[in-house]
Amino acid sequence: MNAPTTVRLNDADNVLVAIEPIASGTGVAEGLVTSARIPRGHKIAAAPIEAGAPVRKFGQIIGFAKEAIAPGAWVHEHNVEVHEFARDYTLGEVKPVEPVAAPATFMGFRRANGQVGTRNYIAILSSVNCAATVARQIALRAERSGLLDGFPNVDGIVPLTHGTGCGMAADGEGYELLERTLWGAACNPNVAGVLFIGLGCEVLQIARMTARYGLKDDPRFHWMTIQDSGGTPATIEAGLAALREILPRADAARREPLPASHLILALQCGGSDAYSGLTANPALGEAADILVRHGGTAILSETPEIYGAEHLLVHRAASRRVADDLLARIDWWRDYLARTGGQMNNNPSPGNKAGGLTTILEKSLGAVAKGGTTPLTAVYRYAEPVTERGFVFMDTPGYDPVSVTGQVAGGANILCFTTGRGSAFGCKPVPSIKLATNSDLYRRMETDMDIDCGDILSGTTIAQKGEEIFRHLLDVASGARTKSELLGYGDNEFVPWQVGAVM
């Protein structure tokens, strides 16, 4: 009988990864015998690890032994802990990206301001939670009335509502972040027209926002408040009238061949497992590299999920300023968590841990693989407009809906989302491509998953899978529907990051 499959990911590692469940007392690679049951995706000590010594995977530190760990032992949260340790923040040698000879194209929507969309939506945004019901009622009435029937080039009307907008300071970090997020979502390339709905007396005033961003008589934007419109029924009718004005202009858009350099790809992972860093994440990183070579942009985010691996991004920074910008965001998070009583290692969820991820350091090392290998060209705050081409980073929380909301507000027009446990997610107005890290998940949730990356464990190369993902990106950008779109996800996943006191 063949020994159960394990893998050593780097010569410097002192753990192996179990590719399948292994019973206690089983002989595995390198002459080891397991002293406990090892779940699939979990780690086995490959050598003696002294108490306090680093535990290494991917050739990097993923934690420190709480106690002496014998060869063959199960290595997980019961015997591994996290604490601060020194990391090398020197810049590496940054090689320029070699562009492809024949850039790929896709069928996209060219906007008057030079942006390019992969979808053609009308968005109804609420400025405050008090206006959320009216915003949703307008969208629902439009759908039920058949208002869209005569406009086949419009993908839909999506209400983007949220739970804040009042009970907050009228200036400062929290206010500016929310205002930037709402405006960024309205200006996303996949949005052809916008209707803002407010209550009227809230802290986040629509008139103040439009004045800040210099909005004047732009036919794409309409706005109203419930109080000034005469109440809920009157506002719904006024909203439907506004949609009748917006729809013909939105429907005039047509897909045309455009270079892949116009794609702005949001990189996400959620419901991660130990396979994330072995299969889907590096394959997505390969696709991101291909996109960058075609002149496009890839956005890595989720700052708490690069902690402990940020030095790998620093080595790729295009300049000292970019490196310092990234480290400044890490420092902001350290201060934020100190003020709120949190800690970075709270990030791995119960599902992450059940899937074999022991610490935030291990999770982060797998997460950064989504970013590929090209130089890091810029670092952005949450929901800032992404203007730099190539591989960039945006500071966001690790919570997927909040993180994606920031990326979409920054201009992402397509998303790839890796998952090992089976996240259910979509993010209108941007199509979300779901990548399964293992074939078992893909088989169980094939209705939700777009691509199976588990075959990397059985012979498909990272390069081959990356090319498959890139080609699928082009198809989806050209109009092919993702599984999450077919299932109707995306109406409830607009979740702006709320920082600061709720008053």
Side-chain angles (χ1 to χ4, degrees):
M1 180 180 295
N2 294 329
T5 304
T6 59
V7 61
R8 179 190 289 270
L9 300 175
N10 187 283
D11 289 342
D13 292 353
N14 51 13
V15 296
L16 305 179
V17 178
I19 301 301
E20 55 191 281
I22 302 174
S24 178
T26 302
V28 295
E30 303 182 22
L32 297 169
V33 176
T34 58
S35 57
R37 178 184 177 273
I38 313 296
R40 184 179 64 181
H42 286 240
K43 297 170 291 296
I44 307 165
I49 306 174
E50 297 180 0
V55 178
R56 295 183 183 274
K57 180 182 174 184
F58 303 109
Q60 302 288 331
I61 294 173
I62 65 166
F64 298 87
K66 291 181 183 179
E67 58 193 40
I69 303 174
W74 178 31
V75 178
H76 201 35
E77 57 183 330
H78 62 284
N79 54 12
V80 178
E81 62 186 356
V82 169
H83 56 71
E84 280 288 354
F85 64 100
R87 285 163 326 256
D88 178 10
Y89 291 144
T90 58
L91 297 184
E93 180 184 356
V94 177
K95 297 180 180 179
V97 175
E98 293 187 12
V100 296
T105 62
F106 70 102
M107 299 296 290
F109 294 100
R110 188 193 299 273
R111 307 299 183 193
N113 61 3
Q115 292 181 311
V116 170
T118 65
R119 295 293 183 269
N120 197 42
Y121 276 100
I122 292 173
I124 305 177
L125 286 102
S126 60
S127 64
V128 64
N129 179 253
C130 309
T133 294
V134 168
R136 290 186 177 277
Q137 286 292 327
I138 294 171
L140 185 61
R141 281 277 301 276
E143 179 183 354
R144 288 178 174 174
S145 69
L147 186 60
L148 284 169
D149 291 348
F151 304 101
N153 297 305
V154 176
D155 286 305
I157 298 171
V158 56
L160 300 177
T161 62
H162 57 93
T164 181
C166 208
M168 61 191 302
D171 52 32
E173 184 177 38
Y175 181 93
E176 292 171 4
L177 188 151
L178 178 59
E179 186 181 68
R180 188 166 70 238
T181 303
L182 293 176
W183 186 252
C187 295
N188 185 275
N190 291 359
V191 174
V194 179
L195 173 60
F196 274 107
I197 304 293
L199 176 61
C201 58
E202 62 269 22
V203 170
L204 199 146
Q205 290 284 307
I206 299 175
R208 179 181 172 187
M209 178 173 60
T210 57
R212 180 194 293 268
Y213 289 100
L215 176 63
K216 295 183 179 177
D217 302 317
D218 188 327
R220 294 176 303 158
F221 294 90
H222 290 65
W223 64 275
M224 60 191 67
T225 67
I226 298 168
Q227 291 167 353
D228 287 341
S229 296
T232 295
T235 306
I236 292 172
E237 292 303 326
L240 292 169
L243 291 179
R244 293 187 190 99
E245 291 185 35
I246 296 170
L247 276 165
R249 180 178 293 272
D251 189 64
R254 296 292 185 274
R255 290 189 182 272
E256 60 180 283
L258 293 163
S261 58
H262 287 293
L263 291 179
I264 303 175
L265 171 64
L267 307 169
Q268 281 290 323
C269 56
S272 299
D273 67 357
Y275 295 123
S276 296
L278 308 182
T279 61
N281 286 359
L284 179 53
E286 177 70 21
D289 283 352
I290 296 171
L291 177 60
V292 169
R293 290 198 295 272
H294 282 262
T297 302
I299 311 171
L300 183 66
S301 297
E302 302 175 288
T303 312
E305 296 181 13
I306 68 159
Y307 170 76
E310 73 275 8
H311 58 291
L312 302 179
L313 297 176
V314 167
H315 295 336
R316 296 164 53 189
S319 69
R320 186 73 251 175
R321 180 188 61 78
V322 172
D324 290 343
D325 286 347
L326 179 67
L327 294 175
R329 302 321 302 163
I330 296 289
D331 288 340
W332 184 93
W333 274 92
R334 287 193 177 101
D335 178 66
Y336 181 56
L337 291 171
R339 285 186 279 117
T340 56
Q343 55 177 297
M344 292 287 194
N345 201 44
N346 284 343
N347 179 282
S349 69
N352 294 155
K353 293 176 180 179
L357 296 175
T358 300
T359 68
I360 184 55
L361 306 180
E362 182 179 10
K363 185 176 181 179
S364 293
L365 288 164
V368 297
K370 301 192 303 293
T373 61
T374 60
L376 177 65
T377 59
V379 174
Y380 295 94
R381 293 181 302 160
Y382 186 87
E384 280 188 325
V386 173
T387 57
E388 192 76 22
R389 295 282 179 88
F391 171 59
V392 304
F393 185 84
M394 177 180 284
D395 178 28
T396 75
Y399 183 42
D400 312 319
V402 179
S403 182
V404 174
T405 296
Q407 293 175 316
V408 169
N413 55 14
I414 195 164
L415 164 72
C416 274
F417 189 115
T418 71
T419 182
R421 305 293 291 176
S423 291
F425 186 80
C427 62
K428 293 176 183 175
V430 173
S432 173
I433 301 168
K434 304 293 282 297
L435 311 179
T437 72
N438 62 85
S439 297
D440 178 64
L441 167 64
Y442 184 80
R443 286 188 293 268
R444 283 187 289 108
M445 295 182 65
E446 190 170 353
T447 52
D448 293 74
M449 299 295 122
D450 295 283
I451 295 178
D452 177 14
C453 295
D455 56 2
I456 291 172
L457 297 174
S458 57
T460 300
T461 67
I462 295 291
Q464 288 170 334
K465 188 59 65 172
E467 184 65 33
E468 178 186 341
I469 294 168
F470 178 70
R471 293 298 162 190
H472 195 70
L473 274 174
L474 298 178
D475 289 342
V476 169
S478 298
R481 297 290 164 175
T482 66
K483 297 288 183 65
S484 64
E485 288 180 295
L486 294 173
L487 291 170
Y489 281 103
D491 288 329
N492 300 298
E493 287 81 1
F494 180 74
V495 187
W497 186 9
Q498 189 170 356
V499 298
V502 178
M503 297 186 230

